[in-house]
Amino acid sequence: MHLPDTAHPPCRPTDRHLPAVARSAGPPARAEPLTTADRETALHGLLVRTRALHTESTESGDRYPLYADRGRWTWSRRGSWTPGFWSGLLDLATRTGVLPAGTAEAAAARLAPRLVDDTVTRAMTFWYGARTAGTLRTAAAERLLDSRMVSTRLVPVGSAWGAGARGRATLEVDCWAPLIRLLCRTGSGALPEGRDTAAALARHALSSALTERPDGRIAVFGRLRADRSGALLPEAPPTHGDRAFAWALLGLAEAAAHLPPAGETGLLARHCAEAALRMSRQWPDPADTDTDTGIGIGTSTSTDITTGPGTRTTATGATTSPGPDAPPPDTSADAIVAVARLKLAALGHPGCLDAADGTLARLVRHHVTRTAGPTAPDLRTGGAAFTGTRYRIRPGPGPGSGRARTASVESVWGTFFLAHALAVRLGVLPAGEL
């Protein structure tokens, strides 16, 4: 996609970008940022919840939690595509003292068997889940490079998770960010060929995966298929404001930060920053409700999504009407966008920190709730659930299990991104380490 902007615009546009009615009415109200105490309380609650799940996991055969639907967790022996997020949560809980020393190292070591899985999600597994195991990260990067397509030299989806041979010619946006981080590592884990592949990924992302809609908004082709010539062709219509869009935004932010800064790749990094900043401005942030529910008020629930999306606001503050192609809100996507904005802010782009703070304030106030039960009187002692991930749930085995449905759930990946965004804002870890 050609991006005509030559300068790096702020995450929040200036007044000249707003429609006349918005200018005459004055700037829209922003969510009040969380205080440091608010952030600490929310992060601690999420990690106490992680500790409780870790205890349940170890008592039942070291299974991985995936998501909770109506408060009931689905577990996996191998972790499906999310073991790195769970390992990363255990790592953060260890760093903050919620779990004992050694927990993070043990969690990372458990990931080693996933090195042989033929799937690009190894990038997620070993970037987000193996911070304490540099040799595993290097091995994962090497295996991913070995899996590249001959025609494009890009890393395909792979044959796992039922993709079969077709998956070896298919690309998805979901793993852009951790792929770039693994392939652009410096120091003892550096792989020169990896940086070339990361640059190729960024070029293809800008030229093939992004498109501009008639209304000027960027949309994302979440899945592409390579033909015999190496051309990338979309497999589905482009989307805006969903998890694929959030994954793409995060991947572009990582490319902007970690591609080699000199020469051609430096120019490519700037183009990635321009695209990421435009996408951040256009992200439909959740609209505030009339009343602030407060941190930790209520109990966690999850429900079927049976209606269209609710009211959302863009970064300009303008209310968006849910069109026929608009996805329902997905809080895990919002948390991914918050992390991307923090990474853009760390690069010095104005307005991005405020944008991230606004997203975090809305998520914590309206979607982080104390867990139910008499032993959980508040977040600091009882833990907290982060609900609102939109996810397709398959029916269970046996007759009468019903049809697949899309539900609003508590997810391990949503909790990972929200907890780490809060940790960055508290100074527990720098944005560049995530």
Side-chain angles (χ1 to χ4, degrees):
M1 184 188 74
H2 175 66
L3 295 172
D5 302 333
T6 56
H8 291 182
C11 275
R12 291 185 181 272
T14 58
D15 219 30
R16 64 186 174 86
H17 296 286
L18 299 177
V21 63
R23 286 199 298 270
S24 63
R30 268 191 212 170
E32 189 70 23
L34 300 172
T35 66
T36 297
D38 289 340
R39 294 178 187 130
E40 289 175 344
T41 299
L43 176 59
H44 188 80
L46 294 172
L47 296 181
V48 168
R49 173 76 155 168
T50 298
R51 182 176 63 196
L53 287 171
H54 177 58
T55 299
E56 186 174 350
S57 169
T58 56
E59 291 176 348
S60 57
D62 281 334
R63 297 172 301 162
Y64 287 93
L66 302 180
Y67 61 86
D69 176 33
R70 299 186 178 100
R72 182 174 181 176
W73 280 91
T74 292
W75 300 80
S76 167
R77 181 177 57 84
R78 293 162 51 90
S80 186
W81 59 276
T82 68
F85 296 120
W86 177 241
S87 180
L89 278 171
L90 296 180
D91 181 29
L92 185 57
T94 303
R95 295 175 74 167
T96 54
V98 176
L99 283 170
T103 304
E105 288 77 6
R110 281 188 65 201
L111 301 175
R114 305 281 70 77
L115 282 171
V116 299
D117 294 346
D118 182 22
T119 171
V120 70
T121 60
R122 284 177 290 186
M124 288 178 170
T125 297
F126 291 98
W127 178 254
Y128 295 127
R131 181 188 66 87
T132 61
T135 56
L136 282 179
R137 282 182 165 179
T138 300
E142 291 171 343
R143 297 290 182 102
L144 288 162
L145 287 172
D146 289 343
S147 74
R148 288 175 297 179
M149 292 183 283
V150 174
S151 60
T152 64
R153 305 306 289 162
L154 298 176
V155 179
V157 169
S159 62
W161 317 128
R166 186 176 180 84
R168 295 195 178 98
T170 302
L171 299 170
E172 289 184 345
V173 304
D174 304 37
C175 293
W176 282 0
L179 262 177
I180 286 171
R181 295 306 303 273
L182 280 175
L183 298 178
C184 289
R185 291 175 70 211
T186 58
S188 60
L191 299 170
E193 194 176 3
R195 292 192 289 274
D196 293 341
T197 299
L201 169 60
R203 290 189 197 95
H204 282 287
L206 293 173
S207 64
S208 302
L210 305 185
T211 186
E212 187 163 320
R213 293 162 49 139
D215 61 5
R217 291 187 296 174
I218 293 175
V220 173
F221 293 108
R223 178 180 280 253
L224 302 164
R225 181 166 176 78
D227 65 14
R228 292 182 179 180
S229 71
L232 298 179
L233 307 174
E235 288 209 324
T239 60
H240 177 92
D242 62 353
R243 197 156 61 238
F245 187 97
W247 288 129
L249 169 54
L250 180 58
L252 290 166
E254 295 286 33
H258 297 286
L259 288 178
E264 182 184 350
T265 55
L267 179 61
L268 179 60
R270 290 192 289 276
H271 287 323
C272 288
E274 290 163 5
L277 290 164
R278 285 186 61 188
M279 292 171 73
S280 174
R281 293 200 311 272
Q282 295 171 3
W283 177 254
D285 282 301
D288 274 336
T289 56
D290 292 335
T291 59
D292 185 354
T293 59
I295 299 175
I297 301 300
T299 57
S300 63
T301 60
S302 57
T303 59
D304 289 348
I305 296 176
T306 56
T307 60
T311 301
R312 292 168 77 84
T313 57
T314 65
T316 67
T319 299
T320 62
S321 299
D325 62 342
D330 179 342
T331 58
S332 71
D334 291 313
I336 293 166
V337 169
V339 168
R341 287 169 167 171
L342 289 173
K343 289 176 178 288
L344 292 169
L347 294 175
H349 295 294
C352 292
L353 187 60
D354 286 346
D357 280 347
T359 301
L360 292 175
R362 296 182 183 103
L363 293 178
V364 168
R365 290 189 176 120
H366 304 305
H367 297 281
V368 173
T369 53
R370 66 175 175 82
T371 51
T375 61
D378 58 55
L379 292 188
R380 295 198 65 82
T381 59
F386 174 45
T387 57
T389 293
R390 184 171 179 261
Y391 195 60
R392 185 76 169 167
I393 297 176
R394 296 183 179 90
S401 56
R403 283 189 266 174
R405 58 190 172 85
T406 299
S408 177
V409 302
E410 178 185 1
S411 71
V412 67
W413 62 94
T415 301
F416 173 92
F417 283 106
L418 179 58
H420 280 79
L422 292 168
V424 169
R425 289 299 286 122
L426 288 167
V428 174
L429 72 162
E433 187 177 317
L434 171 56

